[in-house]
Amino acid sequence: MTNIRTLDDLDVYENVLIQRFQQHPCLHNLVSLSQASFVGLLLQRRFLSLAFTPVYDMAIDGLTYPKGKQIARRILREEYPGERGTEPSHRENLVSDLLQIGLTHHQIMNAVPSDATLKTLQRTFAFFAGDPDTPHYQVKLMTLLRFWGEVLIAAEYQMLWPRLESMGLQESGEHPSLFYYPHLVHDAKHKALTRSSVNATTHSDQLASSLQSLLDKEDVIAYCAEIETEIVAIKSGFYDQFVRAA
């Protein structure tokens, strides 16, 4: 990553990574997946969604960077709206979307993670190894939250959405998506790293406003790019298991 020295360089590289990820043979050719294979993909992808909150919790535990910790706490709390448990969590909304497109509770509750899915989860949690007191470690955690937990999730759901829409989910109206489409919208990267702020409308851009404060040296910027590259590799590894079905 020797050519990535500035925030502008990193911003361009991020966009390349996003496009590269969306060009994964599975995501790029979802239309060729059978209905059964696509349902299998969604059931396996649910296990990654279930890992979202423990990843955020572990990152919060490791963050010593106050600004980043505060933003992460706020985003995590949005996962459980309503103070008295009267509103469904985001993962409950995920199940609601799956039911809307024709899956059954039996299918959802009897699904088990594949070896490839478990490996993806294992590689994700391995990011937390390291010394929390070093600047690089803080950059790693903030990059994980933003790029793994927000930017690429929106990129994934952007690719999944046409197929989900064809199965009956809607942006709004009679059968609105409660999980996939809202996350497609509020997780996405809309602004360049150098233009993000805490008042941004998406989680990616809110986290970027905090991350950029840590990216104050060339070696740190290059390290962030390395972590993002590894995150794309891990995410892509999850979708490799569905290529043969395409």
Coordinates of all heavy atoms in Angstrom, one line a residue, residues 153-232:
I153 N -21.5 -3.5 4.1 CA -22.9 -4.0 4.3 C -23.8 -3.3 3.3 O -24.7 -3.9 2.7 CB -23.3 -3.8 5.7 CG1 -22.6 -4.9 6.6 CG2 -24.9 -4.0 5.8 CD1 -23.0 -4.8 8.1
A154 N -23.7 -2.0 3.3 CA -24.6 -1.2 2.3 C -24.3 -1.7 0.9 O -25.2 -1.8 0.0 CB -24.4 0.3 2.5
A155 N -23.0 -1.9 0.6 CA -22.6 -2.4 -0.8 C -23.2 -3.8 -1.1 O -23.7 -4.0 -2.2 CB -21.1 -2.4 -0.9
E156 N -23.2 -4.6 -0.1 CA -23.8 -6.0 -0.2 C -25.3 -5.9 -0.5 O -25.8 -6.5 -1.4 CB -23.6 -6.8 1.0 CG -22.2 -7.3 1.3 CD -22.1 -8.0 2.6 OE1 -22.5 -9.2 2.7 OE2 -21.7 -7.4 3.6
Y157 N -26.0 -5.1 0.3 CA -27.4 -5.0 0.2 C -27.9 -4.3 -1.1 O -29.0 -4.6 -1.6 CB -28.0 -4.3 1.4 CG -27.9 -5.1 2.7 CD1 -28.1 -4.6 4.0 CD2 -27.4 -6.4 2.7 CE1 -28.0 -5.3 5.1 CE2 -27.2 -7.2 3.8 CZ -27.5 -6.6 5.1 OH -27.3 -7.3 6.2
Q158 N -27.0 -3.4 -1.5 CA -27.3 -2.8 -2.8 C -27.4 -3.9 -3.9 O -28.2 -3.8 -4.8 CB -26.2 -1.8 -3.2 CG -26.5 -1.0 -4.5 CD -25.4 -0.1 -4.8 OE1 -24.3 -0.1 -4.3 NE2 -25.6 0.8 -5.7
M159 N -26.5 -4.9 -3.8 CA -26.5 -5.9 -4.8 C -27.6 -6.9 -4.6 O -28.2 -7.5 -5.6 CB -25.1 -6.7 -4.8 CG -23.9 -5.8 -5.0 SD -24.0 -4.9 -6.6 CE -23.7 -6.2 -7.8
L160 N -28.0 -7.2 -3.3 CA -29.0 -8.1 -3.0 C -30.4 -7.5 -3.3 O -31.4 -8.3 -3.6 CB -29.0 -8.5 -1.6 CG -27.7 -9.3 -1.1 CD1 -27.8 -9.5 0.4 CD2 -27.6 -10.6 -1.8
W161 N -30.5 -6.2 -3.3 CA -31.8 -5.6 -3.3 C -32.7 -5.9 -4.5 O -33.9 -6.3 -4.4 CB -31.8 -4.1 -3.1 CG -33.1 -3.4 -3.1 CD1 -33.6 -2.6 -4.1 CD2 -34.1 -3.6 -2.1 NE1 -34.9 -2.3 -3.7 CE2 -35.2 -2.9 -2.6 CE3 -34.2 -4.4 -1.0 CZ2 -36.4 -2.8 -1.8 CZ3 -35.4 -4.3 -0.2 CH2 -36.5 -3.5 -0.7
P162 N -32.2 -5.9 -5.7 CA -33.1 -6.2 -6.9 C -33.7 -7.6 -6.8 O -34.9 -7.8 -7.1 CB -32.1 -6.1 -8.1 CG -31.1 -5.2 -7.6 CD -30.8 -5.5 -6.2
R163 N -32.9 -8.6 -6.3 CA -33.5 -9.9 -6.1 C -34.5 -9.9 -5.0 O -35.6 -10.6 -5.1 CB -32.4 -10.9 -5.8 CG -32.8 -12.4 -5.8 CD -33.0 -12.9 -7.2 NE -33.5 -14.3 -7.2 CZ -32.7 -15.4 -7.4 NH1 -31.4 -15.2 -7.7 NH2 -33.2 -16.6 -7.4
L164 N -34.2 -9.2 -3.9 CA -35.2 -9.2 -2.8 C -36.5 -8.4 -3.2 O -37.6 -8.9 -2.9 CB -34.6 -8.4 -1.6 CG -33.4 -9.2 -0.9 CD1 -32.7 -8.2 0.0 CD2 -34.0 -10.4 -0.1
E165 N -36.3 -7.4 -4.0 CA -37.5 -6.7 -4.5 C -38.3 -7.5 -5.4 O -39.6 -7.5 -5.4 CB -37.0 -5.4 -5.3 CG -38.1 -4.4 -5.5 CD -37.5 -3.1 -6.1 OE1 -36.5 -3.1 -6.8 OE2 -38.1 -2.0 -5.8
S166 N -37.7 -8.4 -6.2 CA -38.4 -9.2 -7.1 C -39.2 -10.3 -6.3 O -40.2 -10.9 -6.8 CB -37.5 -9.9 -8.1 OG -36.7 -10.9 -7.4
M167 N -38.8 -10.5 -5.1 CA -39.5 -11.5 -4.2 C -40.6 -10.8 -3.3 O -41.2 -11.5 -2.5 CB -38.5 -12.2 -3.4 CG -37.5 -13.1 -4.2 SD -36.2 -13.8 -3.2 CE -37.1 -15.0 -2.3
G168 N -40.8 -9.5 -3.5 CA -41.9 -8.9 -2.8 C -41.6 -7.8 -1.9 O -42.5 -7.0 -1.4
L169 N -40.3 -7.6 -1.5 CA -40.0 -6.5 -0.6 C -40.1 -5.2 -1.4 O -39.8 -5.1 -2.6 CB -38.6 -6.6 0.0 CG -38.4 -7.7 1.0 CD1 -37.0 -7.7 1.5 CD2 -39.4 -7.6 2.1
Q170 N -40.4 -4.1 -0.7 CA -40.6 -2.8 -1.3 C -39.8 -1.7 -0.4 O -39.6 -1.9 0.8 CB -42.1 -2.4 -1.3 CG -42.9 -3.3 -2.1 CD -44.4 -2.9 -2.0 OE1 -44.8 -2.1 -1.2 NE2 -45.2 -3.6 -2.9
E171 N -39.4 -0.7 -1.1 CA -38.8 0.4 -0.4 C -39.7 1.0 0.6 O -39.3 1.4 1.7 CB -38.3 1.5 -1.3 CG -37.2 1.0 -2.3 CD -36.8 2.1 -3.3 OE1 -37.1 3.3 -3.0 OE2 -36.2 1.8 -4.3
S172 N -41.0 1.1 0.3 CA -42.1 1.6 1.1 C -43.3 1.0 0.6 O -43.3 0.2 -0.3 CB -42.1 3.1 1.1 OG -42.3 3.6 -0.2
G173 N -44.5 1.4 1.1 CA -45.7 0.9 0.6 C -46.3 -0.2 1.4 O -46.1 -0.2 2.7
E174 N -47.0 -1.1 0.8 CA -47.8 -2.1 1.5 C -46.8 -3.2 2.1 O -47.2 -3.7 3.2 CB -48.7 -2.8 0.5 CG -49.7 -3.7 1.2 CD -50.7 -4.3 0.2 OE1 -50.8 -3.8 -0.9 OE2 -51.5 -5.2 0.6
H175 N -45.7 -3.5 1.5 CA -44.8 -4.5 2.0 C -43.4 -3.9 2.1 O -42.5 -4.4 1.4 CB -44.8 -5.7 1.1 CG -46.2 -6.3 0.9 ND1 -46.8 -7.0 2.0 CD2 -47.0 -6.3 -0.1 CE1 -48.0 -7.5 1.5 NE2 -48.1 -7.0 0.3
P176 N -43.2 -3.0 3.0 CA -41.9 -2.3 3.1 C -40.8 -3.2 3.7 O -41.1 -4.0 4.6 CB -42.2 -1.1 4.0 CG -43.3 -1.5 4.9 CD -44.2 -2.4 4.0
S177 N -39.6 -3.1 3.2 CA -38.5 -3.8 3.9 C -38.2 -3.1 5.2 O -38.0 -1.9 5.2 CB -37.3 -3.8 2.9 OG -36.1 -4.2 3.6
L178 N -38.1 -3.9 6.2 CA -37.8 -3.3 7.5 C -36.3 -3.4 7.9 O -35.8 -2.8 8.8 CB -38.6 -4.1 8.6 CG -40.1 -4.0 8.5 CD1 -40.7 -4.9 9.6 CD2 -40.6 -2.6 8.5
F179 N -35.6 -4.2 7.1 CA -34.2 -4.4 7.4 C -33.3 -4.1 6.2 O -32.4 -3.2 6.3 CB -33.9 -5.9 7.9 CG -32.5 -6.2 8.2 CD1 -32.0 -5.8 9.4 CD2 -31.7 -6.8 7.3 CE1 -30.6 -6.1 9.7 CE2 -30.4 -7.1 7.5 CZ -29.8 -6.7 8.8
Y180 N -33.4 -4.8 5.1 CA -32.4 -4.7 4.1 C -32.4 -3.3 3.5 O -31.3 -2.7 3.4 CB -32.7 -5.7 3.0 CG -32.5 -7.2 3.4 CD1 -33.5 -8.0 3.7 CD2 -31.2 -7.7 3.5 CE1 -33.3 -9.3 4.1 CE2 -30.9 -9.0 3.9 CZ -32.0 -9.8 4.2 OH -31.8 -11.1 4.6
Y181 N -33.5 -2.8 3.1 CA -33.5 -1.5 2.4 C -33.1 -0.4 3.4 O -32.2 0.5 3.0 CB -34.8 -1.2 1.7 CG -34.7 0.1 0.9 CD1 -34.1 0.0 -0.4 CD2 -35.2 1.3 1.3 CE1 -34.0 1.1 -1.2 CE2 -35.1 2.4 0.5 CZ -34.5 2.3 -0.7 OH -34.3 3.5 -1.5
P182 N -33.6 -0.3 4.6 CA -33.1 0.7 5.5 C -31.6 0.7 5.7 O -31.0 1.8 5.8 CB -33.9 0.4 6.8 CG -35.2 -0.2 6.3 CD -34.7 -1.1 5.2
H183 N -31.0 -0.5 5.8 CA -29.6 -0.6 6.0 C -28.8 -0.2 4.7 O -27.7 0.4 4.8 CB -29.2 -2.0 6.5 CG -29.5 -2.2 7.9 ND1 -30.7 -2.5 8.4 CD2 -28.6 -2.2 9.0 CE1 -30.7 -2.6 9.7 NE2 -29.4 -2.4 10.1
L184 N -29.4 -0.5 3.6 CA -28.8 -0.1 2.3 C -28.7 1.4 2.3 O -27.6 2.0 1.9 CB -29.7 -0.6 1.2 CG -29.3 -0.4 -0.2 CD1 -30.1 -1.3 -1.1 CD2 -29.4 1.0 -0.8
V185 N -29.6 2.1 2.9 CA -29.7 3.6 2.9 C -28.8 4.2 4.0 O -27.9 5.0 3.7 CB -31.1 4.1 3.0 CG1 -31.1 5.6 3.1 CG2 -31.9 3.7 1.8
H186 N -29.0 3.7 5.2 CA -28.3 4.5 6.3 C -27.0 4.0 6.7 O -26.3 4.5 7.5 CB -29.2 4.6 7.5 CG -29.5 3.3 8.3 ND1 -28.5 2.6 8.8 CD2 -30.6 2.7 8.6 CE1 -29.0 1.5 9.5 NE2 -30.3 1.6 9.4
D187 N -26.5 2.9 6.0 CA -25.1 2.5 6.3 C -24.1 2.9 5.2 O -22.9 2.8 5.4 CB -25.1 0.9 6.3 CG -25.7 0.3 7.5 OD1 -26.0 1.1 8.4 OD2 -25.9 -0.9 7.6
A188 N -24.6 3.4 4.1 CA -23.7 3.6 2.9 C -22.7 4.8 3.1 O -22.9 5.7 3.9 CB -24.6 3.9 1.7
K189 N -21.7 4.7 2.3 CA -20.7 5.8 2.2 C -21.2 6.7 1.1 O -21.3 6.4 0.0 CB -19.3 5.2 1.8 CG -18.3 6.3 1.5 CD -17.0 5.7 1.0 CE -16.0 6.9 0.6 NZ -14.7 6.4 0.1
H190 N -21.5 7.9 1.6 CA -22.0 9.0 0.7 C -21.0 10.1 0.4 O -20.9 10.7 -0.6 CB -23.3 9.6 1.2 CG -24.5 8.7 1.0 ND1 -25.7 8.9 1.6 CD2 -24.7 7.6 0.3 CE1 -26.5 8.0 1.3 NE2 -25.9 7.2 0.5
K191 N -20.1 10.3 1.4 CA -19.2 11.4 1.3 C -17.7 10.9 1.4 O -17.4 9.9 1.9 CB -19.4 12.4 2.5 CG -20.7 13.1 2.5 CD -20.9 14.1 3.6 CE -22.2 14.8 3.6 NZ -22.4 15.6 2.4
A192 N -16.8 11.7 0.8 CA -15.4 11.4 0.8 C -14.9 11.5 2.3 O -15.5 12.2 3.1 CB -14.6 12.4 -0.1
L193 N -13.9 10.8 2.6 CA -13.3 10.8 3.9 C -13.0 12.2 4.4 O -13.2 12.5 5.6 CB -12.0 10.0 3.9 CG -12.2 8.5 4.2 CD1 -10.8 7.8 3.9 CD2 -12.7 8.2 5.6
T194 N -12.6 13.0 3.5 CA -12.2 14.4 3.9 C -13.4 15.3 4.1 O -13.3 16.4 4.6 CB -11.3 15.0 2.9 OG1 -11.9 14.9 1.6 CG2 -9.9 14.3 2.8
R195 N -14.6 14.8 3.8 CA -15.8 15.7 3.8 C -16.8 15.2 4.8 O -17.9 15.7 4.9 CB -16.4 15.8 2.5 CG -15.6 16.5 1.4 CD -16.2 16.5 0.0 NE -17.6 16.9 0.1 CZ -18.6 16.3 -0.5 NH1 -18.4 15.2 -1.1 NH2 -19.8 16.8 -0.4
S196 N -16.5 14.2 5.6 CA -17.4 13.6 6.5 C -17.5 14.4 7.8 O -16.6 15.1 8.2 CB -17.0 12.1 6.9 OG -17.0 11.3 5.7
S197 N -18.6 14.3 8.5 CA -18.8 15.0 9.8 C -19.7 14.1 10.7 O -20.4 13.2 10.2 CB -19.5 16.3 9.5 OG -20.8 16.2 9.2
V198 N -19.7 14.5 12.0 CA -20.5 13.7 12.9 C -22.0 13.9 12.7 O -22.8 13.2 13.1 CB -20.2 14.2 14.4 CG1 -18.8 13.7 14.8 CG2 -20.4 15.7 14.6
N199 N -22.3 15.0 11.9 CA -23.7 15.3 11.6 C -24.2 14.6 10.3 O -25.2 14.9 9.7 CB -24.0 16.8 11.5 CG -23.7 17.5 12.8 OD1 -24.1 16.9 13.9 ND2 -23.1 18.6 12.8
A200 N -23.3 13.8 9.7 CA -23.6 13.1 8.5 C -24.9 12.2 8.7 O -25.2 11.8 9.8 CB -22.4 12.2 8.0
T201 N -25.5 11.9 7.5 CA -26.8 11.1 7.6 C -26.6 9.6 7.6 O -27.5 8.9 7.9 CB -27.7 11.5 6.4 OG1 -27.0 11.2 5.2 CG2 -28.0 13.0 6.5
T202 N -25.4 9.1 7.3 CA -25.2 7.7 7.3 C -24.2 7.3 8.4 O -23.3 8.0 8.7 CB -24.7 7.2 5.9 OG1 -23.4 7.5 5.7 CG2 -25.6 7.7 4.8
H203 N -24.2 6.0 8.8 CA -23.3 5.5 9.8 C -21.9 5.5 9.3 O -20.9 5.8 10.0 CB -23.7 4.1 10.2 CG -24.9 4.0 11.0 ND1 -25.6 2.9 11.3 CD2 -25.6 5.0 11.7 CE1 -26.6 3.1 12.0 NE2 -26.7 4.4 12.3
S204 N -21.7 5.2 8.0 CA -20.4 5.1 7.4 C -19.7 6.5 7.5 O -18.5 6.7 7.9 CB -20.4 4.7 5.9 OG -20.8 3.4 5.8
D205 N -20.5 7.5 7.1 CA -19.9 8.9 7.1 C -19.7 9.4 8.5 O -18.8 10.2 8.8 CB -20.8 9.8 6.3 CG -20.8 9.5 4.8 OD1 -19.9 8.7 4.4 OD2 -21.8 9.9 4.1
Q206 N -20.6 9.0 9.5 CA -20.4 9.5 10.9 C -19.1 8.8 11.4 O -18.3 9.5 12.1 CB -21.6 9.0 11.7 CG -22.9 9.8 11.4 CD -24.1 9.1 12.0 OE1 -24.0 8.3 12.9 NE2 -25.2 9.5 11.6
L207 N -18.9 7.6 11.2 CA -17.6 6.9 11.6 C -16.4 7.5 10.9 O -15.3 7.6 11.5 CB -17.7 5.4 11.4 CG -18.7 4.7 12.4 CD1 -19.0 3.3 11.9 CD2 -18.1 4.6 13.8
A208 N -16.6 7.9 9.7 CA -15.5 8.4 8.9 C -15.0 9.7 9.6 O -13.8 10.0 9.6 CB -15.9 8.7 7.5
S209 N -15.9 10.5 10.1 CA -15.5 11.8 10.7 C -14.6 11.5 11.9 O -13.8 12.4 12.3 CB -16.8 12.6 11.1 OG -17.4 11.9 12.2
S210 N -14.8 10.4 12.6 CA -14.0 10.1 13.7 C -12.7 9.4 13.3 O -11.6 9.7 13.8 CB -14.8 9.1 14.7 OG -14.0 8.8 15.8
L211 N -12.8 8.5 12.3 CA -11.6 7.8 11.9 C -10.6 8.7 11.3 O -9.4 8.6 11.5 CB -12.0 6.8 10.8 CG -10.9 6.0 10.1 CD1 -10.1 5.2 11.1 CD2 -11.5 5.1 9.0
Q212 N -11.0 9.7 10.5 CA -10.1 10.6 9.9 C -9.2 11.3 10.8 O -8.0 11.7 10.5 CB -10.8 11.6 8.9 CG -11.6 12.6 9.6 CD -12.3 13.6 8.6 OE1 -11.6 14.1 7.8 NE2 -13.6 13.7 8.6
S213 N -9.6 11.6 12.1 CA -8.8 12.2 13.1 C -7.6 11.4 13.4 O -6.6 11.9 13.9 CB -9.6 12.5 14.3 OG -10.7 13.4 14.0
L214 N -7.7 10.0 13.3 CA -6.6 9.1 13.6 C -5.6 9.0 12.5 O -4.5 8.5 12.6 CB -7.2 7.8 14.0 CG -8.1 7.7 15.2 CD1 -8.6 6.3 15.3 CD2 -7.3 8.1 16.5
L215 N -6.1 9.3 11.2 CA -5.3 9.1 10.0 C -4.4 10.3 9.8 O -4.6 11.0 8.8 CB -6.2 8.8 8.9 CG -7.1 7.6 9.0 CD1 -8.0 7.4 7.8 CD2 -6.3 6.3 9.3
D216 N -3.5 10.6 10.6 CA -2.7 11.8 10.6 C -1.3 11.6 10.1 O -0.5 12.5 10.0 CB -2.6 12.4 12.0 CG -2.1 11.5 13.1 OD1 -1.9 10.3 12.7 OD2 -1.9 11.9 14.2
K217 N -0.9 10.3 9.7 CA 0.4 10.0 9.2 C 0.3 9.1 8.0 O -0.6 8.3 7.9 CB 1.3 9.4 10.3 CG 1.5 10.3 11.5 CD 2.4 9.6 12.5 CE 2.6 10.5 13.8 NZ 3.4 9.8 14.8
E218 N 1.3 9.1 7.2 CA 1.3 8.3 6.0 C 1.2 6.8 6.3 O 0.5 6.0 5.7 CB 2.5 8.6 5.1 CG 2.4 9.9 4.4 CD 3.6 10.1 3.4 OE1 4.3 9.1 3.2 OE2 3.7 11.2 2.8
D219 N 2.0 6.4 7.3 CA 2.0 4.9 7.6 C 0.7 4.5 8.2 O 0.3 3.3 8.0 CB 3.2 4.6 8.6 CG 3.0 5.2 9.9 OD1 2.7 6.4 10.0 OD2 3.1 4.5 10.9
V220 N 0.0 5.3 8.9 CA -1.3 5.0 9.5 C -2.3 4.9 8.4 O -3.2 4.0 8.4 CB -1.7 6.0 10.6 CG1 -3.1 5.7 11.1 CG2 -0.7 6.1 11.7
I221 N -2.3 5.8 7.4 CA -3.2 5.8 6.3 C -3.0 4.5 5.5 O -4.0 3.8 5.1 CB -3.0 7.0 5.4 CG1 -3.5 8.3 6.2 CG2 -3.8 6.9 4.1 CD1 -3.1 9.6 5.5
A222 N -1.7 4.1 5.2 CA -1.4 2.9 4.5 C -1.9 1.7 5.3 O -2.4 0.7 4.7 CB 0.1 2.8 4.2
Y223 N -1.8 1.7 6.6 CA -2.3 0.6 7.4 C -3.8 0.5 7.3 O -4.3 -0.6 7.3 CB -1.8 0.8 8.9 CG -2.3 -0.2 9.8 CD1 -1.8 -1.5 9.8 CD2 -3.4 0.1 10.7 CE1 -2.3 -2.5 10.7 CE2 -3.8 -0.9 11.6 CZ -3.3 -2.2 11.6 OH -3.7 -3.1 12.5
C224 N -4.5 1.6 7.4 CA -5.9 1.5 7.2 C -6.3 0.9 5.9 O -7.3 0.0 5.8 CB -6.5 3.0 7.3 SG -8.3 3.1 7.1
A225 N -5.6 1.2 4.8 CA -5.9 0.6 3.5 C -5.6 -0.9 3.6 O -6.4 -1.7 3.0 CB -5.0 1.2 2.5
E226 N -4.6 -1.4 4.3 CA -4.3 -2.8 4.5 C -5.5 -3.5 5.2 O -5.9 -4.6 4.8 CB -3.0 -3.0 5.2 CG -1.8 -2.6 4.5 CD -0.5 -2.7 5.4 OE1 -0.7 -3.3 6.5 OE2 0.5 -2.3 4.9
I227 N -6.0 -2.9 6.2 CA -7.1 -3.5 6.9 C -8.3 -3.6 6.1 O -9.1 -4.6 6.1 CB -7.4 -2.7 8.2 CG1 -6.2 -2.7 9.2 CG2 -8.7 -3.2 8.9 CD1 -5.9 -4.1 9.6
E228 N -8.6 -2.5 5.3 CA -9.8 -2.5 4.4 C -9.6 -3.6 3.4 O -10.6 -4.3 3.0 CB -9.9 -1.2 3.8 CG -10.4 -0.1 4.7 CD -10.6 1.3 4.1 OE1 -10.1 1.5 3.0 OE2 -11.2 2.1 4.8
T229 N -8.4 -3.8 2.9 CA -8.2 -4.9 1.9 C -8.5 -6.3 2.5 O -9.1 -7.1 1.8 CB -6.7 -4.8 1.4 OG1 -6.4 -3.5 0.9 CG2 -6.5 -5.9 0.3
E230 N -8.0 -6.4 3.7 CA -8.3 -7.7 4.4 C -9.8 -7.9 4.7 O -10.3 -9.1 4.5 CB -7.5 -7.8 5.7 CG -7.5 -9.1 6.4 CD -6.6 -9.2 7.6 OE1 -5.9 -8.2 7.9 OE2 -6.7 -10.2 8.3
I231 N -10.5 -6.9 5.0 CA -11.9 -7.0 5.2 C -12.6 -7.4 4.0 O -13.5 -8.3 4.0 CB -12.5 -5.7 5.8 CG1 -12.0 -5.4 7.2 CG2 -14.0 -5.6 5.7 CD1 -12.3 -4.0 7.7
V232 N -12.2 -6.9 2.8 CA -12.9 -7.3 1.6 C -12.6 -8.7 1.3 O -13.4 -9.5 0.8 CB -12.4 -6.4 0.4 CG1 -12.8 -6.9 -0.9 CG2 -12.9 -5.0 0.6

